[in-house]
Amino acid sequence: ETGVTQSPTHLIKTRGQQVTLRCSSQSGHNTVSWYQQALGQGPQFIFQYYREEENGRGNFPPRFSGLQFPNYSSELNVNALELDDSALYLCASSAGQRSGANVLTFGAGSRLTVL
Amino acid sequence: DQQVKQNSPSLSVQEGRISILNCDYTNSMFDYFLWYKKYPAEGPTFLISISSIKDKNEDGRFTVFLNKSAKHLSLHIVPSQPGDSAVYFCAADTNAGKSTFGDGTTLTVKP
């Protein structure tokens, strides 16, 4: 059983650029969530995808967008990068069941630095 | 407005003793609470959860207690081991499937 894998692990961009982060879900999971973790803070919910549709969104502007593919892998796109977008971006997959706790399986994250 | 708060950024305990990590929340609609552990350069990993209709859940050395009237939960680790040294995140779920996290507590277990 493979876990959640994310790429790239580290990247550096400049203000105004665009970035795409990628995530492969754990086998058997059909739901993907993306989180932003700033230094010293907990993960903040960006959005969730289920069956290729956005299924909930946190307090992030529209320049944060995503996709989920038929194989349940996912992308996070951020346009017009700002300095405050510098953070660890975590992808998490889950089974999407609604009985029981929503247990997330996280990847190791993509560390984005915006200069 | 932070709905899940972990007020202690760090905790240090001696090996073999009890570690108690605390978490407070404000949203009465949360239906499950979870604890995750994070080692450096790794993603958070699930540790234990509790339903909002329970007051205790135990799994080996880990026990989570929930006090709904106080909107407070705690994670007890007994006995603590050096390998337990990590950042611990408290998280809360609504039935919308979105998890809200606290800012974490760094636990250091000294040999």
Side-chain angles (χ1 to χ4, degrees):
Chain A
E1 174 180 279
T2 57
V4 175
T5 57
Q6 292 186 242
S7 62
T9 53
H10 294 83
L11 69 166
I12 300 173
K13 293 283 187 178
T14 56
R15 270 186 306 174
Q17 284 190 313
Q18 177 265 343
V19 68
T20 298
L21 308 178
R22 295 178 175 83
C23 172
S24 295
S25 304
Q26 176 164 305
S27 173
H29 285 181
N30 58 16
T31 302
V32 173
S33 303
W34 285 91
Y35 287 81
Q36 180 196 65
Q37 187 181 7
L39 203 59
Q41 296 183 17
Q44 299 288 313
F45 177 73
I46 303 175
F47 43 56
Q48 182 184 86
Y49 278 82
Y50 173 68
R51 292 186 176 178
E52 303 174 55
E53 298 279 335
E54 188 178 290
N55 182 41
R57 188 177 185 94
N59 239 5
F60 282 82
R63 59 189 185 83
F64 285 77
S65 62
L67 283 173
Q68 186 183 30
F69 300 99
N71 65 355
Y72 306 125
S73 66
S74 177
E75 284 182 358
L76 165 66
N77 298 290
V78 187
N79 293 322
L81 284 167
E82 300 176 0
L83 296 179
D84 283 349
D85 296 333
S86 295
L88 180 68
Y89 288 85
L90 292 164
C91 172
S93 69
S94 56
Q97 63 200 28
R98 278 321 306 157
S99 61
N102 181 37
V103 177
L104 300 172
T105 301
F106 282 91
S110 294
R111 171 77 61 189
L112 171 64
T113 302
V114 182
L115 302 176
Chain B
D1 173 33
Q2 198 167 10
Q3 296 188 57
V4 177
K5 287 186 180 178
Q6 295 175 255
N7 291 317
S8 299
S10 62
L11 174 68
S12 181
V13 300
Q14 209 65 36
E15 182 178 5
R17 306 296 290 268
I18 184 171
S19 296
I20 300 176
L21 297 99
N22 295 304
C23 179
D24 297 298
Y25 64 95
T26 57
N27 187 345
S28 301
M29 299 305 292
F30 289 136
D31 56 1
Y32 282 91
F33 300 90
L34 305 91
W35 287 91
Y36 289 85
K37 178 169 75 172
K38 186 181 187 304
Y39 293 119
E42 295 182 13
T45 56
F46 170 71
L47 200 53
I48 191 169
S49 66
I50 187 168
S51 164
S52 60
I53 62 172
K54 305 278 190 185
D55 55 18
K56 177 181 174 182
N57 187 29
E58 191 172 350
D59 184 2
R61 297 186 297 115
F62 302 92
T63 303
V64 56
F65 295 92
L66 175 62
N67 182 334
K68 279 193 76 173
S69 60
K71 293 191 174 69
H72 176 84
L73 63 154
S74 60
L75 173 68
H76 294 211
I77 306 174
V78 183
S80 301
Q81 299 173 354
D84 296 329
S85 297
V87 179
Y88 288 78
F89 291 103
C90 171
D93 281 355
T94 63
N95 60 11
K98 163 193 161 183
S99 295
T100 302
F101 285 78
D103 286 340
T105 297
T106 300
L107 173 66
T108 303
V109 180
K110 297 179 178 178

